[in-house]
Amino acid sequence: MIYTREAEVLGMLNDKLGPSQKRDPSFSRANQAPMHLIKDLNPYQNKWTICARVTQKSAIKTWSKPNSQSRLFSVNLLDDSSEIRATVFTQQVDMFYPILEVSKVYYVSNAQVKMARQQFSNLSNQYELTFDAGTVVEQCADPTGVPQDYFDFISISSLTRFQKGSVDI
């Protein structure tokens, strides 16, 4: 629970922020960054937090190079504005893989926002997240308002622009 004076200050701050930047009083991280929608993220922002549902989680993939061995997994994160892919590499795999569960809602902050590598993603977002040692993930106490699914409807005539197998009908 947040101290009463802190909750009061948070309430006054929320009154001055836009709807996509409001802070959730149940979010317990001491140094909160402003809340943003996924569609508003870009590589030029330093301080942001999103509240998103995990819609997909891959298995851990391992690959070897002559000098090292690496691992990764990815998750798709959804809010009411868009969906974004997040990838977790090497040391952070052990930290985040057991925490992130499909259908649960989390606050995520301090991940790197990069241009998306479309060959590894089935999402249309131009950016993707990379979790690093500074990334903070906390489960959301009140997941109401975060949708279960995201649909991007298109006309049948525009299907020719997409690769075979990349669109659900």
Side-chain angles (χ1 to χ4, degrees), residues 79-99:
D79 70 7
D80 57 353
S81 71
S82 187
E83 197 167 12
I84 193 167
R85 179 183 176 96
T87 305
V88 183
F89 292 96
T90 316
Q91 292 92 355
Q92 283 70 40
V93 169
D94 292 331
M95 181 170 41
F96 291 115
Y97 196 81
I99 294 172

Side-chain angles (χ1 to χ4, degrees), residues 38-104:
I38 289 173
K39 72 177 179 96
D40 296 332
L41 294 179
N42 67 65
Y44 307 105
Q45 292 173 309
N46 297 356
K47 301 223 178 247
W48 53 266
T49 299
I50 58 170
C51 181
R53 183 177 307 277
V54 174
T55 59
Q56 184 178 357
K57 178 179 172 182
S58 73
I60 296 174
K61 298 176 178 124
T62 304
W63 74 94
S64 296
K65 293 182 179 179
N67 301 342
S68 65
Q69 184 174 1
S70 296
R71 299 178 306 149
L72 72 84
F73 78 95
S74 63
V75 292
N76 290 352
L77 300 171
L78 168 75
D79 70 7
D80 57 353
S81 71
S82 187
E83 197 167 12
I84 193 167
R85 179 183 176 96
T87 305
V88 183
F89 292 96
T90 316
Q91 292 92 355
Q92 283 70 40
V93 169
D94 292 331
M95 181 170 41
F96 291 115
Y97 196 81
I99 294 172
L100 296 168
E101 296 179 35
V102 173
S103 297
K104 295 213 173 162

Side-chain angles (χ1 to χ4, degrees), residues 26-27 99 101 104-107 137-142:
S26 66
F27 188 37
I99 294 172
E101 296 179 35
K104 295 213 173 162
V105 177
Y106 300 90
Y107 292 105
V137 173
E138 290 188 36
Q139 190 167 354
C140 178
D142 183 19

Side-chain angles (χ1 to χ4, degrees), residues 67-168:
N67 301 342
S68 65
Q69 184 174 1
S70 296
R71 299 178 306 149
L72 72 84
F73 78 95
S74 63
V75 292
N76 290 352
L77 300 171
L78 168 75
D79 70 7
D80 57 353
S81 71
S82 187
E83 197 167 12
I84 193 167
R85 179 183 176 96
T87 305
V88 183
F89 292 96
T90 316
Q91 292 92 355
Q92 283 70 40
V93 169
D94 292 331
M95 181 170 41
F96 291 115
Y97 196 81
I99 294 172
L100 296 168
E101 296 179 35
V102 173
S103 297
K104 295 213 173 162
V105 177
Y106 300 90
Y107 292 105
V108 178
S109 60
N110 299 338
Q112 295 176 30
V113 181
K114 299 178 175 179
M115 293 300 293
R117 297 175 65 191
Q118 294 299 333
Q119 70 268 32
F120 299 115
S121 179
N122 59 349
L123 303 177
S124 61
N125 199 315
Q126 65 179 333
Y127 300 115
E128 63 187 17
L129 303 177
T130 300
F131 287 18
D132 58 25
T135 300
V136 177
V137 173
E138 290 188 36
Q139 190 167 354
C140 178
D142 183 19
T144 56
V146 180
Q148 298 280 342
D149 294 309
Y150 178 77
F151 299 101
D152 187 13
F153 295 105
I154 60 168
S155 65
I156 291 177
S157 62
S158 65
L159 285 176
T160 56
R161 294 183 297 156
F162 296 93
Q163 287 182 333
K164 183 178 180 182
S166 67
V167 177
D168 292 328

